[in-house]
Amino acid sequence: MEVINERLLYPSYEIIGGKKFMAPAANTRHNAIGGRLYMFIGTYLDAKELGYCFTDSADIHFPDGSLFSPDFSIVLKENEQIISWSGDIYGAPDMVVEVLSYSTRRKDITIKKDTYEANGVREYWIVDPWAKIIDVYLLRDGKYFLDNEYMLPDDNDLKSMTDAEKAEIKNEIPVAILDGLKIPLNYIFKWGYK
């Protein structure tokens, strides 16, 4: 008798605390951000043979039994044993990115953040596509701390800022697990959210 992978039949759920939750498909604007990260970071990883990146079609089985499909994730070469090339990822990626949506926002900033922290994901980005803000959390001694918040200001924001505030704007976001590879914020938010 042939065994059929249940995820192939019912691909849009995640497992949190042993319970299945429906995971709605992301819209095109949401996917655009993950796609741009994939292109930029994927090219870098490939050129330097440092590891692999995945979009939301990769299922990640965490040691605590949780099952998520983050919008973007990275597994470095030294961790590649967690990748099943004929299936899913079994273990904690080195980095995870979640792009907020109205339906997933609450889980992304609470349950998922806590799960990624507890399972040892070293770097976690929470992307707010409407405000064009990225919060970067880094794992230190088993706990996340907010390393920085990066914002791409629009013209209205700039008009209301002082010169000192404008001078503090960081136009690039470093990827800590990749020795500070920097991605321009205007590249990440190039299109889709205007």
Side-chain angles (χ1 to χ4, degrees):
M1 178 175 187
E2 183 181 353
V3 177
I4 298 174
N5 183 339
E6 184 183 68
R7 294 286 290 169
L8 296 175
L9 295 175
Y10 308 103
S12 58
Y13 70 83
E14 295 181 315
I15 298 175
I16 303 170
K19 295 181 182 175
K20 286 184 187 178
F21 291 89
M22 294 305 294
N27 64 36
T28 53
R29 291 178 297 173
H30 186 103
N31 276 323
I33 292 171
R36 295 197 63 77
L37 290 171
Y38 185 86
M39 287 188 296
F40 195 97
I41 296 174
T43 301
Y44 180 84
L45 289 171
D46 190 47
K48 299 198 175 276
E49 298 182 1
L50 294 173
Y52 314 92
C53 58
F54 302 92
T55 59
D56 62 0
S57 59
D59 291 332
I60 299 174
H61 302 260
F62 288 93
D64 71 358
S66 299
L67 170 67
F68 294 144
S69 299
D71 295 309
F72 178 79
S73 59
I74 296 173
V75 176
L76 295 178
K77 193 85 164 165
E78 64 262 20
N79 233 355
E80 71 181 319
Q81 73 279 359
I82 69 171
I83 302 169
S84 168
W85 291 109
S86 62
D88 299 336
I89 297 170
Y90 296 89
D94 295 282
M95 178 180 171
V96 167
V97 176
E98 292 286 4
V99 180
L100 300 179
S101 66
Y102 294 119
S103 62
T104 65
R105 179 182 186 86
R106 184 177 213 69
K107 284 184 201 157
D108 291 342
I109 62 176
T110 58
I111 295 168
K112 285 188 175 183
K113 181 176 169 265
D114 292 346
T115 300
Y116 296 148
E117 178 184 71
N119 285 280
V121 175
R122 295 170 37 207
E123 185 167 356
Y124 179 43
W125 292 12
I126 299 175
V127 180
D128 183 331
W130 301 280
K132 296 183 179 176
I133 292 174
I134 300 175
D135 288 335
V136 175
Y137 291 89
L138 298 178
L139 194 66
R140 185 179 295 150
D141 297 325
K143 293 288 180 192
Y144 278 143
F145 71 94
L146 180 63
D147 181 59
N148 215 326
E149 182 175 82
Y150 298 86
M151 178 183 86
L152 182 64
D154 62 21
D155 290 337
N156 289 331
D157 294 326
L158 291 171
K159 286 177 188 174
S160 66
M161 296 171 86
T162 66
D163 288 340
E165 289 170 329
K166 289 177 188 174
E168 290 181 16
I169 295 173
K170 294 175 177 72
N171 296 316
E172 297 178 316
I173 182 168
V175 182
I177 65 162
L178 296 176
D179 294 326
L181 166 72
K182 294 181 179 180
I183 307 172
L185 286 171
N186 61 1
Y187 177 85
I188 296 171
F189 296 115
K190 185 172 184 172
W191 33 258
Y193 289 90
K194 299 192 186 240

